[in-house]
Amino acid sequence: QVQLVESGGGSVQAGGSLRLSCTASGYTYSIRWMAWFRQAPGKEREGVASIYTGTGRLYYADSVEGRFTISQDKAKNTVYLQMNSLKPEDAAIYYCAADSVLRYTVNWWVVRNYAYWGQGTQVTVSS
């Protein structure tokens, strides 16, 4: 089992920045994929960014590319999401996800690809 704990959410004005953290514990040796998803009220959960921890390859949703940066600290089993130039439409609960493989498809943004999820952290962006 793998446990994921997110932190770093909060409230910020449009144009501001936040950094989210996701720390993994448990059987972390098997984890190769870590990702950030978000879910706004009344909307489906969507992929924001992902990292293949083996090579460090990064993936981003079009809506955040150039504004958000995903990174990892392997020694701390932690993945970060640096969010800059935040917009009101970025407001959501942000979830960390992880797995050893992408279970169903090759697309990193598919929710069911990930077996392990954090509890989520709220991000609020005011205009």
Side-chain angles (χ1 to χ4, degrees):
Q1 287 290 337
V2 174
Q3 294 78 42
L4 303 173
V5 178
E6 304 102 331
S7 61
S11 296
V12 66
Q13 288 191 329
S17 298
L18 284 172
R19 189 177 81 155
L20 306 182
S21 300
C22 171
T23 299
S25 61
Y27 291 105
T28 59
Y29 66 89
S30 65
I31 296 301
R32 292 294 178 269
W33 288 93
M34 294 192 75
W36 288 96
F37 286 76
R38 67 187 181 187
Q39 188 166 19
K43 295 189 177 181
E44 293 187 354
R45 192 170 297 190
E46 63 173 357
V48 175
S50 183
I51 181 168
Y52 181 66
T53 62
T55 62
R57 186 168 180 178
L58 310 177
Y59 303 84
Y60 295 97
D62 290 345
S63 59
V64 306
E65 181 129 38
R67 300 187 298 121
F68 291 10
T69 303
I70 188 171
S71 62
Q72 63 173 330
D73 184 331
K74 288 186 176 181
K76 295 182 179 179
N77 289 322
T78 297
V79 170
Y80 303 97
L81 185 68
Q82 177 67 44
M83 305 186 295
N84 298 330
S85 302
L86 281 160
K87 304 175 181 180
E89 53 262 42
D90 294 319
I93 299 175
Y94 281 71
Y95 297 91
C96 179
D99 214 319
S100 56
V101 296
L102 295 181
R103 292 179 176 267
Y104 294 99
T105 80
V106 299
N107 303 316
W108 64 267
W109 59 84
V110 175
V111 171
R112 64 178 184 152
N113 271 338
Y114 301 87
Y116 305 108
W117 291 84
Q119 81 288 350
T121 185
Q122 179 74 51
V123 171
T124 303
V125 184
S126 58
S127 56

